[in-house]
Amino acid sequence: MPFLGQDWRSPGQSWVKTADGWTRFLDEKSGGFVGDISSFCKKDDHNKENLFNSVNYDVAAKKRKKDLLNNKAKTQCYCTLGEAFNRLDFSSAILDSRRFNYVVRLLELIAKSQLTSLSGIAQKNYMNILEKVVQKVLEDQQNIRLIRELLQTLYTSLCTLVQRVGKSVLVGNINMWVHRMESILHWQQQLNNIQITRPAFKGTTLTDLPLCLQLNIMQRLSDGRDLVSLGQVAPDLQVLSEDRLLWKKLCQYHFTDRQIRKRLILSDKGQLDWKKMYFKLIRCYPRKEQYGDTLQLCRHCHILSWKGTDHPCTANNPETCSTSLSPQEFINLFRF
């Protein structure tokens, strides 16, 4: 009589679970498959115990390791931008100076166009992280302009979503979003009231360095607005901040030759005015983004992680599988 049932393993046989699936147990002494029909007899209880104790522990260990890797991988699988935003530790990332600008840029891009794609929990998490960013800037008194621009972008987007588009596009009660907009205005006021005091430092200052070193330091600045601000500190720095070669290198760093040729501006002396060209170019083209640390995407196992952190990759050379993602590329991963 045939055996019918959901269990495809027929009775009277002994099976062992391996990494490749279930296989029949092979007796090394007899060279044949072992049947467990004798397990119903009391006289073979001892043989039954020996049978189960002879399971291949190496296979079991490999399976446990594989399950562990799969569990770790599942914890980093994201289907939506909201899930990724919730599960990636951005709260700790903002405390790292190498990752701070990356997270701020990501918050700005989400505020521009992706805010409505976040779930209610993700939107709440977004505002919590933003509050931590503002508190950090208020304590450190650094990156003030960067956070001002972020808050202004977010406030403008919320005004558009609440007033023009409609209230239904945002998850949650409208009064809650009005309260959040009031918080943004309060944060902006706090940033405007920051008074940066000059530390009581009697050692060597920037202006005490040789001119070549001062110019070398200025060449490390990637934002022209920082050069302008630095030139307002002292008359000597003002002269250096107007150096044509300095602005030329800044233009060539951010923009291509073709973009530069389309926006040529001549000075009164007939020379190229690189400073005016720079500020005209940034209004027409995006600047080159520069981050100390970025999110990495493993092409082998499709896991997101911060650069320098380990992830359970099963590739032979995990280092060659990682690709750096810009904030915009990170958002593009979740566009279907």
Side-chain angles (χ1 to χ4, degrees):
M1 181 176 179
F3 174 79
L4 300 177
Q6 295 182 354
D7 191 349
W8 50 268
R9 294 168 291 164
S10 60
Q13 297 176 351
S14 177
W15 293 76
V16 179
K17 189 173 183 181
T18 65
D20 299 329
W22 287 90
T23 60
R24 292 182 62 182
F25 188 83
L26 181 64
D27 190 358
E28 297 180 356
K29 295 182 179 180
S30 62
F33 293 105
V34 178
D36 61 358
I37 191 66
S38 60
S39 61
F40 295 96
C41 302
K42 295 182 179 180
K43 63 180 180 179
D44 291 333
D45 287 344
H46 182 67
N47 294 334
K48 179 182 177 181
E49 183 179 357
N50 292 336
L51 174 65
F52 286 99
N53 288 336
S54 61
V55 176
N56 192 330
Y57 292 104
D58 292 337
V59 175
K62 290 181 180 180
K63 183 180 182 302
R64 287 195 298 270
K65 182 178 180 181
K66 183 178 179 180
D67 292 341
L68 179 61
L69 294 177
N70 290 336
N71 291 334
K72 289 183 178 180
K74 290 178 181 178
T75 60
Q76 303 187 44
C77 292
Y78 317 117
C79 297
T80 64
L81 178 61
E83 290 180 3
F85 191 83
N86 284 334
R87 299 173 68 176
L88 288 171
D89 192 7
F90 289 115
S91 297
S92 300
I94 61 176
L95 303 178
D96 191 334
S97 58
R98 299 170 300 174
R99 302 173 182 175
F100 181 83
N101 289 353
Y102 187 96
V103 176
V104 171
R105 177 58 177 167
L106 182 60
L107 294 176
E108 184 179 5
L109 292 176
I110 293 177
K112 286 182 178 180
S113 59
Q114 301 296 319
L115 193 60
T116 56
S117 65
L118 300 180
S119 63
I121 297 177
Q123 290 178 359
K124 181 179 179 180
N125 190 25
Y126 180 95
M127 296 302 299
N128 291 335
I129 294 176
L130 180 60
E131 182 178 6
K132 293 180 180 179
V133 169
V134 174
Q135 295 301 324
K136 183 179 184 301
V137 172
L138 292 174
E139 294 174 2
D140 300 344
Q141 296 187 347
Q142 298 178 6
N143 301 301
I144 299 176
R145 183 180 64 243
L146 191 66
I147 307 306
R148 282 176 179 170
E149 295 174 353
L150 169 60
L151 293 178
Q152 184 59 40
T153 300
L154 178 59
Y155 188 81
T156 303
S157 298
L158 289 178
C159 289
T160 303
L161 293 174
V162 172
Q163 298 176 2
R164 300 179 185 177
V165 179
K167 303 176 182 179
S168 60
V169 296
L170 292 173
V171 180
N173 188 281
I174 187 61
N175 294 328
M176 176 183 65
W177 283 104
V178 172
H179 175 72
R180 290 174 177 174
M181 294 175 67
E182 293 176 351
S183 299
I184 295 174
L185 293 176
H186 176 67
W187 294 337
Q188 288 178 324
Q189 186 64 36
Q190 286 182 307
L191 293 175
N192 293 332
N193 294 335
I194 289 181
Q195 297 291 335
I196 300 179
T197 58
R198 186 172 182 177
F201 181 71
K202 299 182 180 180
T204 303
T205 62
L206 179 61
T207 54
D208 296 330
L209 298 175
L211 295 180
C212 60
L213 291 181
Q214 295 181 30
L215 189 61
N216 196 351
I217 293 174
M218 289 184 174
Q219 291 176 354
R220 301 295 186 271
L221 300 177
S222 60
D223 194 331
R225 293 171 297 180
D226 293 332
L227 282 177
V228 175
S229 299
L230 185 59
Q232 297 173 352
V233 174
D236 294 340
L237 296 177
Q238 171 66 28
V239 176
L240 289 179
S241 65
E242 298 293 335
D243 184 77
R244 291 182 64 254
L245 182 60
L246 187 65
W247 288 98
K248 178 181 178 180
K249 290 183 177 180
L250 193 59
C251 289
Q252 293 175 341
Y253 174 76
H254 287 287
F255 310 105
T256 63
D257 294 338
R258 183 178 181 181
Q259 292 172 341
I260 293 174
R261 287 196 298 267
K262 289 184 177 181
R263 299 291 185 271
L264 295 178
I265 300 178
L266 296 179
S267 63
D268 298 336
K269 298 180 180 179
Q271 297 177 335
L272 291 177
D273 194 332
W274 291 100
K275 182 178 180 180
K276 291 183 178 180
M277 287 171 54
Y278 170 82
F279 287 105
K280 186 174 183 179
L281 286 166
I282 62 175
R283 292 193 296 267
C284 302
Y285 309 105
R287 289 177 297 176
K288 183 177 179 180
E289 297 182 3
Q290 185 180 24
Y291 305 103
D293 198 357
T294 61
L295 283 173
Q296 303 280 322
L297 174 64
C298 180
R299 297 188 300 271
H300 177 75
C301 52
H302 304 288
I303 289 180
L304 287 169
S305 60
W306 285 104
K307 183 179 180 181
T309 58
D310 297 329
H311 71 278
C313 184
T314 57
N316 294 329
N317 297 317
E319 297 80 8
T320 61
C321 300
S322 297
T323 303
S324 297
L325 295 177
S326 66
Q328 185 61 59
E329 291 172 341
F330 170 77
I331 293 178
N332 292 341
L333 290 176
F334 305 95
R335 288 182 174 177
F336 303 102

